[in-house]
Amino acid sequence: FEIDLVEFLNGIIDRFEMLEKENIELSRSLPKHKINVQLDTDKMTQVLDNIISNAMKYSPEGGTITFNAAVIGRKVKVSISDQGVGIPKNNVSKIFDRFFRVDRARSRDIGGTGLGLAIAKEIVLAHGGDIWAESEWGQGTTIHFTLPLKKVKEGLQQ
Ligand code: ATP
Ligand code: MG
């Protein structure tokens, strides 16, 4: 579908706000203008649900989850930052691997299979985008992903 990504993100954040998980504040830093993209909304909802629930699960002290979206060239970059436990440097790129979980002892209590981000990566790549993480152990984590903007008319192609 062709949709406005800003409106789509606002809808997802609204839904999480209604869950009112104590301690966690959701902060939006989204553009006022529309960002037209073409995407499978069910699949992209799955991507965001996992990223946001991770941010909540791995933020024991609460804090703020910040949402950013910005157009860069012919792509839009979405970033979701938390102030949670963070990920050790040598594990940051592994979190997108199937079944990988940082510190099994810690994550055992939290629950999950370690598949969420592997699925998220598959979906983002299938949309022609990319996904990566930035994290500081003990400070917080940011998940970034990009999506191509809807193509403008190019020659005969609509
Ligand atoms: P599932 O999503 O399948 O329920 P999961 O959340 O453990 O389980 P992923 O979402 O794939 O699996 O994340 C993989 C691992 O990456 C997590 O177990 C966790 O160790 C680490 N991780 C992911 N997001 C964060 C985050 N925001 N802060 C700290 N660690 C994270
Ligand atoms: Mg997860």
Side-chain angles (χ1 to χ4, degrees):
F1 306 106
E2 188 190 328
I3 59 142
D4 169 20
L5 185 70
V6 175
E7 189 185 327
F8 177 71
L9 288 171
N10 274 317
I12 289 186
I13 301 165
D14 287 346
R15 175 160 54 77
F16 274 91
E17 264 177 352
M18 283 190 283
L19 298 175
E20 268 193 50
K21 194 166 182 251
E22 68 281 20
N23 295 324
I24 299 208
E25 195 191 315
L26 303 180
S27 157
R28 313 176 198 215
S29 170
L30 303 172
K32 296 275 181 282
H33 58 84
K34 292 186 177 191
I35 301 177
N36 292 321
V37 289
Q38 229 153 1
L39 50 79
D40 181 326
T41 49
D42 285 348
K43 293 226 158 90
M44 202 50 65
T45 298
Q46 210 184 325
V47 169
L48 284 154
D49 280 358
N50 182 59
I51 294 172
I52 299 167
S53 49
N54 282 349
M56 291 178 160
K57 274 201 289 197
Y58 304 110
S59 297
E61 307 298 332
T64 303
I65 300 174
T66 308
F67 297 82
N68 267 278
V71 172
I72 301 170
R74 304 180 68 168
K75 288 179 176 183
V76 55
K77 180 173 154 192
V78 178
S79 306
I80 297 131
S81 305
D82 66 59
Q83 301 172 319
V85 295
I87 300 160
K89 276 244 142 38
N90 56 327
N91 285 339
V92 174
S93 59
K94 294 184 190 155
I95 62 170
F96 298 97
D97 295 349
R98 278 171 188 274
F99 305 116
F100 180 83
R101 307 190 72 200
V102 176
D103 182 356
R104 291 179 176 277
R106 183 191 83 191
S107 356
R108 196 167 43 222
D109 314 329
I110 299 174
T113 57
L115 276 173
L117 287 175
I119 295 166
K121 181 171 182 176
E122 216 169 87
I123 294 171
V124 170
L125 294 183
H127 279 82
D130 206 354
I131 186 167
W132 68 99
E134 219 182 314
S135 188
E136 205 63 58
W137 182 231
Q139 301 285 305
T141 301
T142 302
I143 303 290
H144 304 277
F145 67 87
T146 59
L147 292 171
L149 294 176
K150 188 190 142 31
K151 280 204 186 79
V152 285
K153 276 186 197 164
E154 258 177 37
L156 292 174
Q157 213 185 349
Q158 175 74 24

